[in-house]
Amino acid sequence: MPSPPPLLRLRLRLRLHSPRPLAMIHSSTSHLPHDLPQNQTENITQAITYHDRNKHSLTSGYARGPGRLDWANQPNPFLRFTPSPSLPLLHPTTPLSPHYPTIFDSFPSSPLPLSLSSVSSLLYYSLSLSAWKTTGFSTWSLRVNPSSGNLHPTECHIVSPPLPNSPYNSSSFISHYCPKDHSLEIRAVGHQNLKLPITSDSLIVVFSSIFWREAWKYGERALRYCNHDVGHAIAAVAISAAALGWDARLLDSLSHSELEALIGVTKTYPPLPEPWPTKPLRGNLPWVESQHPDCALVLFPANTNFTINYPALREFVKEFSDSEWAGKPNSLSKDHVCWDVIYHTAGAIKKPADDNCFSVNPFYKSGLISENLYKDFRVYDVVRKRRSAVDMDRVHIMEKETFYQILLHCLPSGEVGPGEKQGRNFTVPFRVLEWDAEVHLALFVHRVRGLEKGLYFLVRNEGHFDSLKKAMRSQFEWTQPDNCPKTLPLYRLAKGDCQDLAKQVSCIQDIASDGCFSLGMVARFEPVLREKGAWMYPRLFWETGIIGQVLYLEAHAVGISATGIGCYFDDAVHEVLGLEGKEFQSLYHFTVGGPVLDKRIMRLPAYPGPGEY
């Protein structure tokens, strides 16, 4: 067997040029099956073309973007509907009390009943403001759920049955969550005979994205980042719900158009122009601020025989959409830029309705080496005090047991039994997903005591092992490190100092090399789109965002920090791994390590805030 290649041989040659002209962008769809319906083939082609088009490249430059930031038109991060009735949410007086590691072990034995108070707790520990920061003449807010560039394109809507201890204790209603003042804006109220067809102790959370908030800074690549953020928000809500004793599951049989009707998009926003633009446009374009529905989650008491009657839910959506909708959205910017490819792709990846039945996976606990690896934090300590590191200190060394523990909590199936393998989503928060795990982790290990520096790989779905090994460099070792937990499918691919390599593939950012480890999230890509449809494209990014949220919380819980990295050279990562074609693609990067704190920045409490944004 040939010896594994030193990582230094994999170092890539750096050649940066100006952004690519569109004529240089290619997409291969030669492997698409010939028996797909034409519109499905076209949609898959559009998703792949978009993905190729907005790759950053070592050789041909960065994806198309604004080039400079138009600060005068930075989108307002807070969406409001006026006039609409406001339902204030009291801040929880009893913080979520479970010890952090226990939420991966079991649900609390007594779930909190659904009430205005429990809804407040759910949102306060998942999507609310966590702090304000100020320096000089700049003041900005932070949220419990992270966002690319702190731009927060993700909006949250609550679809609730009659809510005890509220003015809406006899009617179902739909509201928009306002994190700035931790309140609900009531958008529509059903008549008393129109009942939300779920049990009275459950509710539905709908996420939507405003692409413009990310596109203002990131241009064409913004659609990726919006879907990362959806994944972070899904995980934030699922973990907050778990601490309340509630389970969470995607309602993925609902179509995009049904979600549009459910949150009143067509009743609220101007329609997109027809035909759609075929090149970027600049000007006063109000439709650019429209919400794009992403997904709906149902939250319900854990360990119960909960089910969803989809035909009844569809009938509810149809009838409720005819309700009177309150409030008009505030303008987020005076002028806009429409990055046309985002809207063409968003149209191609819309989820159609399906007739799949609702189901809930069995619960498996995650592997735990020792609770002593964590600080003595409760859930609320971790979720509300989590921060994104701006720089890493190049000093902190992680113990290998801590490294293994973090990765154990990134596994979808947890503590599997004899003969079982990783793949199905049984653990918190991954059990919210309806599909099996499609994303794996390529790890650059820099500072982990007892573990050799080098390139490692975590196989999150062991059904993909043979395909991964065949697709990657034949010289890789695929050796499990010493004392690695038996239930952790972690493999060393090559030994060596990979700090320069990690930095280089992550857009020459020091933060990728200065921590304890960094990683790229590698998804099974084109086969998933072929097997299921173009609508899986955003869902692959959601899965990476959920993994990223776990990494954020794990890092804080052990006393360090983490940061998501959206800027990386896509095909350079693939070259390091030896990947060719589009069977596997890198969709998100992350880094974990000891943070460098900027003492020039003052931290202010989240509520009450320092004034109007």
Side-chain angles (χ1 to χ4, degrees):
M1 177 178 177
S3 59
L7 278 179
L8 290 179
R9 291 185 194 167
L10 301 182
R11 185 175 295 174
L12 303 169
R13 186 177 179 184
L14 178 62
R15 291 181 295 164
L16 278 178
H17 300 291
S18 59
R20 293 165 286 174
L22 295 187
M24 294 178 61
I25 299 168
H26 303 283
S27 173
S28 170
T29 56
S30 59
H31 298 293
L32 292 178
H34 297 295
D35 56 349
L36 286 175
Q38 182 177 355
N39 65 330
Q40 187 173 339
T41 301
E42 291 173 352
N43 289 342
I44 294 171
T45 299
Q46 177 63 37
I48 294 174
T49 300
Y50 169 80
H51 189 75
D52 282 349
R53 171 174 171 152
N54 64 71
K55 287 180 175 179
H56 294 324
S57 171
L58 274 166
T59 56
S60 52
Y62 292 91
R64 299 184 77 191
R68 63 177 182 84
L69 295 182
D70 180 7
W71 292 107
N73 284 301
Q74 181 179 9
N76 187 335
F78 299 115
L79 175 66
R80 303 304 295 255
F81 292 93
T82 55
S84 61
S86 178
L87 184 58
L89 300 173
L90 297 179
H91 296 182
T93 55
T94 304
L96 290 180
S97 58
H99 192 227
Y100 170 74
T102 65
I103 62 171
F104 301 98
D105 183 71
S106 63
F107 290 105
S109 57
S110 299
L112 263 64
L114 182 65
S115 67
L116 190 60
S117 175
S118 58
V119 170
S120 175
S121 291
L122 171 77
L123 297 171
Y124 190 76
Y125 295 110
S126 59
L127 304 174
S128 68
L129 300 190
S130 58
W132 288 83
K133 290 199 171 184
T134 183
T135 180
F137 295 101
S138 297
T139 300
W140 63 97
S141 62
L142 303 178
R143 301 195 196 184
V144 175
N145 57 310
S147 170
S148 303
N150 198 35
L151 297 172
H152 290 285
T154 310
E155 296 292 334
C156 173
H157 309 261
I158 301 296
V159 185
S160 176
L163 195 60
N165 304 317
S166 82
Y168 306 95
N169 56 15
S170 60
S171 302
S172 300
F173 66 94
I174 295 176
S175 61
H176 168 251
Y177 177 57
C178 303
K180 187 176 182 181
D181 55 10
H182 191 53
S183 67
L184 297 177
E185 292 177 316
I186 308 302
R187 298 294 324 283
V189 180
H191 57 76
Q192 290 193 353
N193 293 328
L194 179 59
K195 302 296 183 183
L196 180 61
I198 59 176
T199 57
S200 61
D201 52 3
S202 56
L203 79 160
I204 294 173
V205 176
V206 182
F207 290 120
S208 60
S209 295
I210 299 175
F211 300 144
W212 166 236
R213 285 205 184 116
E214 289 288 329
W216 167 79
K217 180 176 182 179
Y218 296 114
E220 289 188 352
R221 201 168 162 102
L223 184 59
R224 294 187 182 207
Y225 301 155
C226 287
N227 285 296
H228 286 153
D229 287 2
V230 172
H232 281 289
I234 289 172
V237 166
I239 288 171
S240 179
L244 297 172
W246 301 348
D247 208 346
R249 189 74 165 166
L250 278 177
L251 293 174
D252 224 14
S253 287
L254 293 178
S255 69
H256 180 273
S257 60
E258 287 168 334
L259 293 180
E260 273 191 327
L262 184 58
I263 62 173
V265 170
T266 56
K267 298 292 185 72
T268 304
Y269 292 96
L272 297 179
E274 292 186 6
W276 289 349
T278 56
K279 62 181 181 180
L281 295 179
R282 182 183 296 274
N284 184 5
L285 310 170
W287 50 269
V288 167
E289 298 184 2
S290 296
Q291 295 182 66
H292 173 90
D294 295 302
C295 61
L297 318 181
V298 62
L299 310 183
F300 53 94
N303 303 318
T304 58
N305 294 321
F306 181 83
T307 190
I308 285 285
N309 182 332
Y310 270 118
L313 182 57
R314 289 192 165 94
E315 188 61 33
F316 171 85
V317 171
K318 182 179 179 181
E319 190 170 350
F320 203 99
S321 64
D322 292 330
S323 300
E324 182 177 348
W325 291 81
K328 294 183 178 180
N330 58 317
S331 176
L332 305 181
S333 298
K334 180 180 178 181
D335 288 315
H336 313 85
V337 176
C338 167
W339 296 93
D340 56 297
V341 69
I342 291 177
Y343 297 90
H344 284 281
T345 306
I349 60 178
K350 291 179 179 179
K351 172 73 169 62
D354 63 49
D355 56 2
N356 293 336
C357 295
F358 180 84
S359 63
V360 179
N361 285 344
F363 176 88
Y364 281 29
K365 66 180 181 179
S366 295
L368 180 65
I369 297 173
S370 172
E371 283 197 21
N372 294 331
L373 296 173
Y374 294 99
K375 303 294 183 181
D376 187 22
F377 289 151
R378 303 291 178 176
V379 173
Y380 71 91
D381 292 314
V382 177
V383 298
R384 288 198 57 80
K385 296 179 181 179
R386 174 217 61 83
R387 298 289 182 268
S388 300
V390 177
D391 293 297
M392 296 297 183
D393 62 12
R394 305 188 68 181
V395 173
H396 185 85
I397 299 175
M398 177 182 290
E399 300 297 330
K400 69 178 179 182
E401 291 79 12
T402 301
F403 177 70
Y404 292 152
Q405 181 59 69
I406 290 173
L407 296 185
L408 283 170
H409 278 169
C410 291
L411 293 179
S413 306
E415 289 192 345
V416 294
E420 293 183 296
K421 294 183 177 181
Q422 294 296 326
R424 295 192 64 191
N425 286 303
F426 295 144
T427 60
V428 171
F430 303 106
R431 58 186 288 101
V432 69
L433 301 177
E434 289 195 350
W435 59 91
D436 292 347
E438 299 286 5
V439 179
H440 310 277
L441 307 184
L443 299 125
F444 302 93
V445 173
H446 308 314
R447 296 172 182 85
V448 177
R449 184 176 285 112
L451 198 62
E452 292 184 273
K453 293 181 178 181
L455 181 63
Y456 292 73
F457 203 87
L458 180 68
V459 181
R460 296 183 65 253
N461 186 330
E462 293 180 275
H464 302 167
F465 180 85
D466 290 341
S467 297
L468 285 162
K469 191 172 182 180
K470 181 179 179 181
M472 293 165 66
R473 292 179 180 270
S474 60
Q475 306 99 315
F476 282 154
E477 296 179 44
W478 292 99
T479 301
Q480 287 205 282
D482 294 338
N483 301 316
C484 179
K486 293 181 180 180
T487 56
L488 184 65
L490 175 69
Y491 301 89
R492 185 179 63 233
L493 302 183
K495 302 176 185 177
D497 189 331
C498 53
Q499 292 179 79
D500 289 343
L501 185 63
K503 173 181 175 178
Q504 192 173 25
V505 298
S506 290
C507 292
I508 329 298
Q509 297 180 85
D510 290 333
I511 200 167
S513 61
D514 292 352
C516 300
F517 67 93
S518 61
L519 59 88
M521 302 187 195
V522 178
R524 196 170 70 100
F525 186 71
E526 188 173 335
V528 175
L529 304 187
R530 293 202 314 264
E531 293 163 9
K532 299 180 180 179
W535 50 269
M536 276 300 295
Y537 181 72
R539 284 158 177 78
L540 293 175
F541 285 92
W542 300 353
E543 187 174 338
T544 67
I546 294 174
I547 296 169
Q549 189 68 8
V550 172
L551 289 169
Y552 265 128
L553 300 185
E554 288 289 298
H556 186 85
V558 300
I560 52 177
S561 194
T563 291
I565 301 174
C567 184
Y568 55 89
F569 298 120
D570 302 60
D571 289 333
V573 180
H574 304 148
E575 183 180 345
V576 169
L577 297 173
L579 297 172
E580 297 179 353
K582 294 183 177 61
E583 183 179 7
F584 296 97
Q585 294 281 288
S586 183
L587 301 186
Y588 197 12
H589 281 209
F590 238 81
T591 183
V592 177
V596 175
L597 302 179
D598 191 338
K599 296 181 180 179
R600 298 170 300 174
I601 299 176
M602 181 184 298
R603 182 181 180 275
L604 303 173
Y607 304 104
E612 291 297 318
Y613 179 82

